[in-house]
Amino acid sequence: MTTTPTTAPDAPRDPAATPRALNASRTTATAARVLRQLRHDPRTIALMILVPCVMLFLLRYVFDGSPGTFDSIGASLLGIFPLITMFLVTSIATLRERTSGTLERLLAMPLGKGDLIAGYALAFGTLAVVQSALATGLAVWFLGLDVTGSPWLLLLVALLDALLGTALGLFVSAFAASEFQAVQFMPAVIFPQLLLCGLFTPRDRMHPVLETLSDLLPMSYAVDGMNEVLHHTDMTTAFVRDVLIVAGCALLVLGLGAATLRRSTS
C-alpha cells in the first residue's frame, strides 16, 4: 500500500524567516547601505542639501527692496522648501530601488518592511539634518531673517518638515510604477497643502470649507510652527502643539508606507 508523505504542521520555523516588525541592527544596516549609495550620487546630494539654500538666497534678493516681506514669508518657506525637496528625492529613490529589483531581493532576506522603511527614513533623515541646519543658518545669520524666537526652534521645525517630506515620499512611491508617475504625485500631494497652509493668506480668512480642509493637512501646522517662532520669544503652547502634530503625521505616514510597501512594480 502506498502512503502519502505528510508534513508536520507544527514543525518549528526558522526565526530568521519571520523577522520582527522593527529591528535596530537591520534598520541601521539599511540606512548605511542607502547612505553609501547616495555618496556615489553627488547630484542627488546637491539637490537635497543645496537647492533649499539656493531658493532662500534667491527669495531674499527678489524682495531686496522690501526686506519685511522676506521676514514675513521666509520662515514659512524655510520649512516648505526642505519638505518639497525631500518628498521628490525620496519618492524617486525608493521607486528606483523597486524597479531595479533591489527591494524584492532585500525583502526576500530576513528583513521586515518596517526595517526597510525605518532604514530609509534614518538615511534621508540624516541628510535632512544637514539640509535643515544649512538652510536655517543661511537664512538667519547670512540673509538676515529677523526671528523673534530661537533659531534652534526654527531648525527643529525645518527638520521635522524635511522628515515629513521623506515620509510622504516613501508612502507615495508605493503607488507609482515609474519615476514620471512619482513626480506626478507632487501636484496631488504637495500643491494643495502649499495653497492651503496659510502662506498666501491667513487660514482663518479662507472659505470655511477650505479652512476646515487646511486643518487636516500637516503643512499647515509646519507653517504655523514657523510663525510662532517668528513672533514669540518663548516656546508657546501653540508651537508645541504644531510640532507634535507634524511629528505625529510623519510617524503615521511612515507606518502607512511600511504597510503599503510593494516588492516590485509588477
Side-chain angles (χ1 to χ4, degrees):
M1 183 176 62
T2 304
T3 59
T4 303
T6 59
T7 57
D10 298 327
R13 302 178 65 184
D14 182 4
T18 55
R20 292 179 301 173
L22 196 62
N23 177 274
S25 61
R26 291 193 291 260
T27 297
T28 53
T30 301
R33 180 187 64 82
V34 174
L35 289 174
R36 284 195 300 270
Q37 289 179 332
L38 289 174
R39 185 179 61 184
H40 300 293
D41 190 356
R43 287 178 295 183
T44 299
I45 294 177
L47 175 63
M48 287 190 290
I49 294 179
L50 297 181
V51 166
C53 295
V54 172
M55 297 298 290
L56 286 169
F57 185 86
L58 290 176
L59 185 70
R60 167 63 182 84
Y61 290 102
V62 164
F63 296 110
D64 190 44
S66 54
T69 303
F70 177 71
D71 290 336
S72 63
I73 66 173
S76 299
L77 293 176
L78 183 60
I80 292 174
F81 286 157
L83 190 156
I84 293 174
T85 55
M86 294 304 290
F87 172 84
L88 282 173
V89 171
T90 306
S91 59
I92 292 174
T94 308
L95 179 64
R96 190 177 298 168
E97 294 265 72
R98 196 168 75 244
T99 55
S100 65
T102 302
L103 281 184
E104 189 170 9
R105 292 192 296 270
L106 287 172
L107 291 175
M109 301 167 60
L111 183 72
K113 292 183 178 182
D115 299 316
L116 197 64
I117 290 293
Y120 275 96
L122 181 60
F124 286 109
T126 301
L127 292 174
V129 172
V130 179
Q131 177 197 73
S132 302
L134 287 176
T136 303
L138 175 70
V140 174
W141 289 297
F142 184 78
L143 299 179
L145 179 65
D146 187 12
V147 180
T148 303
S150 169
W152 294 106
L153 296 180
L154 278 184
L155 175 60
L156 173 61
V157 181
L159 175 58
L160 290 175
D161 292 345
L163 292 175
L164 176 62
T166 298
L168 289 170
L170 289 170
F171 176 62
V172 303
S173 68
F175 304 98
S178 66
E179 294 181 13
F180 179 67
Q181 287 186 7
V183 174
Q184 286 180 313
F185 273 105
M186 185 173 174
V189 177
I190 299 297
F191 287 178
Q193 296 193 66
L194 189 62
L195 293 174
L196 299 177
C197 69
L199 178 65
F200 301 104
T201 186
R203 293 194 291 126
D204 56 6
R205 297 182 186 175
M206 298 178 184
H207 188 279
V209 174
L210 295 181
E211 182 183 358
T212 301
L213 181 60
S214 73
D215 291 338
L216 304 176
L217 301 175
M219 191 183 290
S220 301
Y221 299 96
V223 171
D224 287 350
M226 286 294 191
N227 288 332
E228 287 294 313
V229 181
L230 191 65
H231 297 113
H232 298 87
T233 56
D234 299 322
M235 185 185 301
T236 63
T237 303
F239 173 83
V240 175
R241 178 207 62 192
D242 296 333
V243 166
L244 291 177
I245 289 176
V246 174
C249 288
L251 291 175
L252 174 62
V253 175
L254 282 176
L256 292 174
T260 57
L261 183 66
R262 293 185 292 147
R263 293 172 179 263
S264 64
T265 54
S266 57

